[in-house]
């Protein structure tokens, strides 16, 4: 039986930190579903469809493993998506104690709701300081985001080092 993992998030936009977690998940699980979810607690920059497209293009650009697929979910609980596709594991990146505090209740609720476990991966230290909210802020003030995001995102948001 193939082990399917879901890597969920706002991905607004996808960062190099996200890609690191996605790539490493693809090395652990048979199939990885990257699922873009609207988070009502956050003010969105990009429409969901554009976030999905950017992730797909970043994966092709970076020649990432082929066992990764990208989709979005807006039909309710994330665990319902997991149940629909037969995924028993969520994967999240943990950069700091702040992430632990944010992720712990969600992990417990998701396990209680549908027996979906959450696996936490520590980020590559090179990306430990990177977040989508930081990228949105730097971009909104005209700064160079190319060190933090894949090329397709830097092209969209502005990056001095985009050839
Ligand atoms: O990248 P984010 O914004 O930290 O991702 C948070 C996200 C989208 C994964 C989280 O808000 C979520 O799982 N939303 C789906 C709604 C849901 O299932 N909520 C109940 C269990 S936490």
């Amino acid at each position: 039986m193939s082990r399917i993992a879901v890597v969920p998030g706002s991905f607004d936009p996808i960062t190099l930190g996200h890609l690191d977690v996605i790539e490493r998940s693809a090395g652990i699980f048979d199939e990885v579903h990257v699922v873009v979810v609207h988070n009502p607690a956050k003010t969105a920059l990009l429409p969901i469809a554009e976030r999905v497209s950017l992730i797909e293009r970043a994966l092709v650009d970076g020649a990432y493993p082929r066992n990764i697929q990208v989709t979005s979910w807006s039909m309710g609980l994330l665990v319902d998506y997991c149940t629909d596709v037969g995924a028993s594991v969520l994967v999240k990146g943990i950069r700091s104690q702040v992430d632990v505090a944010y992720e712990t209740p969600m992990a417990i609720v998701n396990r209680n709701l549908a027996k979906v476990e959450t696996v936490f991966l520590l980020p590559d230290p090179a990306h430990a300081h990177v977040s989508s909210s930081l990228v949105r802020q730097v971009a909104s003030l005209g700064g160079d985001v190319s060190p933090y995001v894949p090329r397709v995102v830097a092209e969209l948001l502005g990056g001095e080092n985009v050839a």
Side-chain angles (χ1 to χ4, degrees), residues 3 6 12 18-19 21 26 37 51 55 57-59 61 63 67 81 84 100 109 113 117 122-123 133 155:
R3 298 282 287 177
V6 167
D12 187 30
H18 291 134
L19 285 171
V21 168
V37 185
R51 297 182 219 169
I55 299 169
R57 285 153 56 205
L59 293 173
D61 247 23
N67 60 338
Y81 175 86
D84 279 4
V100 174
V109 168
L113 283 168
E117 296 285 355
L122 295 176
S133 59
E155 283 170 355

Side-chain angles (χ1 to χ4, degrees), residues 44-69:
L45 172 69
L46 303 170
I48 298 276
E50 187 161 17
R51 297 182 219 169
V52 169
S53 165
L54 286 168
I55 299 169
E56 285 172 340
R57 285 153 56 205
L59 293 173
V60 170
D61 247 23
Y64 280 79
R66 301 289 295 276
N67 60 338
I68 305 170
Q69 54 185 276

Side-chain angles (χ1 to χ4, degrees), residues 6 14 20 23 26 28 45 53 56 78 88 90 93 96-97 104 108 118-119 122 125 134-135 144 149 152 160-161 163:
V6 167
I14 182 125
D20 172 46
E23 181 175 32
I28 298 170
L45 172 69
S53 165
E56 285 172 340
L78 181 62
S88 55
L90 293 165
S96 66
Q97 290 299 323
T104 300
I108 293 168
T118 302
V119 169
L122 295 176
L134 189 80
V135 167
D144 176 19
V149 294
V152 286
E160 288 164 14
N161 301 318

